[in-house]
Amino acid sequence: MRTILQAEDITVRFGGLVALNGINLSVQEGQIHALIGPNGAGKTTLINVLSNVTTPTTGRVTFNGEPITGLPAHSATEKGIGRTFQNILLFAGATVLENVMIARHCRTKYGLLEAILRTRNVLNEEETVCQKALQELEFVGMADKASTIAGNLDHGGQRLLEIARALATEPSLLLLDEPSAGMNPQEVNTLMDLILRIRGRGITVLLIEHNMQLVMGIADVVTVLNFGEKIAEGTPKEIQNNKDVREAYLGRGIQYA
Amino acid sequence: MGRRTRCAVAVGVVTLLAVFPLVGVGPYYIRLLNLAGIYVILTLGLNFCVGMAGQISYAQASFFGIGAYASALLTLKTGVSFWAALPLSALVALVFGVLLGLPSLKVGRYYLAIVTIGFSEIVRLVLLNWKEVTYGAEGVKNIPVPTIGTFTLNTDLRYYYLVLTIVLFAVFVSIRIVHSRIGRALHAIRMSDLAAEVMGVNTRYYKILAFALSAFFGGLAGSLIAHYDTYLHANSFNFMESAKILCMLFIGGSGSIEGPIIGAVGLTLLPEWLRFLKDYYMAIYGVGVVLLMGVMPSGIRSLIPQLARFVQRLFTNKQRAVRSEH
């Protein structure tokens, strides 16, 4: 198995607060890798570092063997890191289709002059944009909602659209920040199936989740963060039986003499 | 609408605009139409920055002024013809647009508005006080009128066709940009900076591009006004002028193509139609603008779909009436 993403010694400080403290993480190609931990453990901060939204105070990230720390976020997307947001960040006023079309930006090339002259190249690229966008909507099961305004979708629909939009950037690594938040059990089942199908396309998935049914059901590897530090890593089985993880979530048991 | 119908509509509109001033419209109205056209270019320009990319700018009048001065001074001092000065002055404005775009990378929206106000004051003061170059408070006089061979564009009607050509160019470029990856990127930035960036949009580049396009259109309009009025004064390119262009954009409906056109033409003609109110006309005009914004927050353009439905119903009724006669 090949390492697709390697984060070494990542530390992030916000003023006096240490959000992440010397985190090492390596994600293997083709796996579903889950990131869990109590609230405030630094999971979203880590995703922000990996997608170059936040620059770490120290440490470095390599993606496909190439250092990406310090690059602007759009070049991380270009290199193949797609992501969604915990607090859904759609283009709410645009239609569902337009949302996904915008995501094709980094996979199209034509410039201003070509756009004004509308060359053959432009027409070809625009046709591909539309096709690929529709394909991704089909993939997440939203093709029938293409002309709905994104802000009018129900919560589950908005989460799925975020995933479709991220997929449209053609990522080789997809970062999902709490994709199941606010979903009902039925929607969670659909989501689990969707994540497995995403892996089936050869896309590596790194996801933050609080839903243990989902994590234990589909993750290949689980990493546990607490107070900005990595406290455990292993298969779902190993994590379930890990003493430190139980303490982090439930507190220390009372010792009876 | 299919490609055929759209082409037919476009040809129809252009023919109408070309013939319109020939049929009994006095020079006063043609002058108004020329001014309206110049404001259409300015407003379509501002639309890139404010309407599409969501970057508030109070500096459109400054680019108007920079273009006007650049064009006037180029023709007067270096003797180049208007036809060379027109694109050159737009490029000069574009350079300043890029400069003003730079702070937009660091400064948030409301603060950016303040930065642009500062910029526009600086531009006005430089134009007003740099006597050696801009003739200072005297203004620039005797700006040459454009000529084609021996044909001089020295009447309102002749100038109308020049303005119309540039307006059509501005509309064409705007339409092509809106319906491209560039238009989508700009819209994405307006809706969410962060989401746009994560979707692979180089938000820094596109913000600066939006300012550059705004300034380029501003420069074109400036060159047109300079050689039309043949006289320039720095104080015409002040903050109020920028505010007026912003009004045109929002009243027409920002972010679209038809909105800025409606706004610019409407707000140029409306005050003239209200002149019979004498002393009160500006007050009534102001109240009208406030009411319009209150009733139609997304601009007059929001009436278009309703209007289209109305026309459609009218036509289908007529067809039915004709059929029942047979």
Side-chain angles (χ1 to χ4, degrees), chain A residues 74 77 105 108 110 116 126, chain B residues 176 181 184 197-198 206:
Chain A
H74 68 88
T77 312
H105 186 85
T108 44
Y110 67 85
I116 293 169
E126 281 297 304
Chain B
R176 285 285 165 94
R181 68 193 282 264
R184 284 196 297 271
E197 179 79 22
V198 168
Y206 282 101

Side-chain angles (χ1 to χ4, degrees), chain A:
Chain A
M1 227 178 296
R2 201 174 66 90
T3 303
I4 185 164
L5 182 93
Q6 181 91 42
E8 289 162 85
D9 196 26
I10 302 291
T11 298
V12 176
R13 287 195 198 90
F14 297 119
L17 178 85
V18 183
L20 288 174
N21 193 6
I23 296 285
N24 290 300
L25 180 77
S26 78
V27 179
Q28 307 304 314
E29 195 170 31
Q31 290 203 322
I32 295 174
H33 193 134
L35 204 56
I36 66 170
N39 289 327
K43 304 181 296 293
T44 296
T45 306
L46 184 55
I47 292 272
N48 283 344
V49 168
L50 300 181
S51 58
N52 279 4
V53 170
T54 303
T55 309
T57 317
T58 64
R60 48 189 238 122
V61 181
T62 45
F63 179 65
N64 280 330
E66 208 183 333
I68 58 164
T69 320
L71 292 179
H74 68 88
S75 19
T77 312
E78 226 162 276
K79 289 185 190 302
I81 302 179
R83 72 165 289 179
T84 66
F85 293 89
Q86 182 180 2
N87 48 344
I88 303 178
L89 213 56
L90 288 171
F91 304 115
T95 68
V96 166
L97 182 64
E98 280 164 352
N99 265 272
V100 188
M101 284 171 74
I102 289 169
R104 295 293 305 170
H105 186 85
C106 58
R107 301 294 168 231
T108 44
K109 288 279 162 325
Y110 67 85
L112 186 65
L113 275 182
E114 276 185 284
I116 293 169
L117 299 174
R118 193 167 286 171
T119 56
R120 182 114 295 274
N121 181 28
V122 171
L123 294 174
N124 289 342
E125 282 197 3
E126 281 297 304
E127 203 183 310
T128 321
V129 165
C130 215
Q131 269 174 10
K132 291 264 184 185
L134 282 169
Q135 260 170 35
E136 294 304 348
L137 285 179
E138 190 107 19
F139 184 77
V140 302
M142 293 187 75
D144 55 326
K145 300 214 172 70
S147 51
T148 312
I149 299 292
N152 296 343
L153 288 174
D154 58 34
H155 189 84
Q158 295 195 1
R159 291 250 176 242
L160 288 181
L161 176 54
E162 267 217 325
I163 295 177
R165 198 177 60 168
L167 285 172
T169 66
E170 290 181 17
S172 47
L173 171 67
L174 181 61
L175 312 173
L176 301 174
D177 196 347
E178 292 199 28
S180 82
M183 282 188 172
N184 64 37
Q186 204 181 342
E187 287 172 323
V188 172
N189 280 333
T190 321
L191 177 68
M192 282 167 73
D193 174 57
L194 176 64
I195 295 173
L196 289 173
R197 284 193 293 130
I198 290 172
R199 184 182 59 179
R201 280 167 59 170
I203 298 169
T204 311
V205 179
L206 176 65
L207 66 120
I208 295 180
E209 251 317 322
H210 282 299
N211 185 322
M212 286 305 138
Q213 178 212 345
L214 188 152
V215 171
M216 298 305 160
I218 63 171
D220 300 303
V221 188
V222 181
T223 299
V224 191
L225 296 187
N226 194 23
F227 294 118
E229 306 204 16
K230 184 155 113 177
I231 59 170
E233 189 166 75
T235 62
K237 259 262 148 52
E238 289 164 2
I239 295 299
Q240 273 173 326
N241 298 321
N242 185 304
K243 191 169 128 278
D244 290 338
V245 176
R246 289 187 170 195
E247 273 179 13
Y249 271 93
L250 303 170
R252 203 173 304 237
I254 300 167
Q255 299 285 315
Y256 293 102

